[in-house]
Amino acid sequence: MTTLHSVDGAHAQTVVAGNCSGVVTIQSSRGSGAPLIRDYSRSVALSGANLSFYSDSICSNQVSSLTLPAFQAQASFYFRSVVAASVGLTASTAGINAGTQTQTISSGAASQVAVVGTPGNMASGSVVVPALDVRIQDSYGNRVFGSTAPVTVSIAAGSPAGSLSGTLTQNVVQGRVLFNYLSLLTNAGGSFLLAANSPGLLEGKSGAFDVTASPGPQPSPTPTPTPTATPVA
C-alpha cells in the first residue's frame, strides 16, 4: 500500500492560505509497514481539491506527480492552496492502494471587507432587503473567523444623494455581521451602492440596486373660479 506522512512525524498539516506547506513524504509500504522497494521506477499521481503541488520548499516548481525511483520507497513534495478548507490529499500509483491524508488550509490575515449579495430594488424610505451581509476576508477571499473588527456601512461614493439610517456600525462575530433594518431615503432616486469599511482594511461594496425617489412637496391645487351670473337685459 501507499502511506502518506510528513518527515517530521507530524502527519497532517495546517497551512495558511497562500503559504507553502512543510515537506510531505509518500512511502510505498507493505501491509506490515515495511518499505516496498521495486527494481523499477514508479509514477505517483497527486490530487486534492484546490491544491497545487510542488517539488521545492518555496512552491515555485509546480508538479502533478512524483517519481519513486528504482530501489527507493520514498519521495517528497510540498503543496499550496488559496482556499481555506479541510481537504483530502491523495497519492496514487498503479497496483498499490492509494494513500490519503486530510490537510487543513486556514485563512490568512484580515485584508478586506466584503459585502455578500445585492439589496433588492426598493422605494425610498423602505428597509434594505435582504439584510446587508458583511464579512472580513483575507486577501484570497476567505472569511477570517477570528475577526471581531468594527464595520461601518454608508452610501457609497458616486451614488445619488440620500441618507442611510439604522445601526450603521457593528462588530463582526466570527468574521461576519448582518446589518438589519437599514433604511435609505432619497429625493433623487437612481442606482445606489452601499459601502462597508473597517479600519486598516480595503473597502467592500454591494452590488448596484435601484431606489425609487420619494415624492417632493406637492403644489396646492389651483382653485376653480366661481362662476358669476351675467345680467340679462
Side-chain angles (χ1 to χ4, degrees):
M1 64 179 178
T2 301
T3 60
L4 208 71
H5 65 280
S6 59
V7 168
D8 62 8
H11 300 290
Q13 301 180 41
T14 297
V15 182
V16 175
N19 288 0
C20 198
S21 74
V23 65
V24 178
T25 295
I26 56 170
Q27 176 174 292
S28 176
S29 303
R30 301 180 185 277
S32 63
L36 176 60
I37 297 174
R38 300 296 190 190
D39 60 359
Y40 53 86
S41 64
R42 291 160 285 173
S43 178
V44 179
L46 303 172
S47 61
N50 300 309
L51 292 179
S52 299
F53 304 99
Y54 301 86
S55 62
D56 62 307
S57 61
I58 60 172
C59 289
S60 63
N61 184 35
Q62 189 169 350
V63 298
S64 59
S65 63
L66 298 175
T67 298
L68 279 175
F71 303 106
Q72 294 187 31
Q74 292 186 351
S76 298
F77 65 96
Y78 303 80
F79 64 88
R80 177 179 180 270
S81 178
V82 298
V83 179
S86 293
V87 59
L89 188 164
T90 299
S92 58
T93 188
I96 301 178
N97 294 331
T100 299
Q101 187 180 77
T102 299
Q103 311 291 352
T104 300
I105 310 299
S106 63
S107 59
S111 172
Q112 60 193 6
V113 183
V115 178
V116 179
T118 301
N121 296 338
M122 56 182 284
S124 174
S126 299
V127 172
V128 176
V129 177
L132 204 64
D133 187 349
V134 178
R135 304 182 188 188
I136 303 297
Q137 298 179 339
D138 66 14
S139 59
Y140 299 105
N142 299 301
R143 180 173 159 188
V144 181
F145 283 85
S147 177
T148 58
V151 174
T152 299
V153 295
S154 61
I155 296 174
S159 296
S163 62
L164 188 67
S165 61
T167 302
L168 302 183
T169 298
Q170 296 188 67
N171 286 73
V172 299
V173 177
Q174 295 187 332
R176 182 189 184 199
V177 64
L178 292 176
F179 284 84
N180 294 291
Y181 308 115
L182 296 176
S183 179
L184 196 159
L185 182 66
T186 177
N187 291 325
S191 181
F192 282 78
L193 292 88
L194 298 181
N197 286 276
S198 186
L201 304 181
L202 297 175
E203 180 182 72
K205 290 183 180 179
S206 71
F209 60 102
D210 293 331
V211 180
T212 305
S214 60
Q218 300 299 307
S220 301
T222 302
T224 303
T226 302
T228 56
T230 301
V232 177

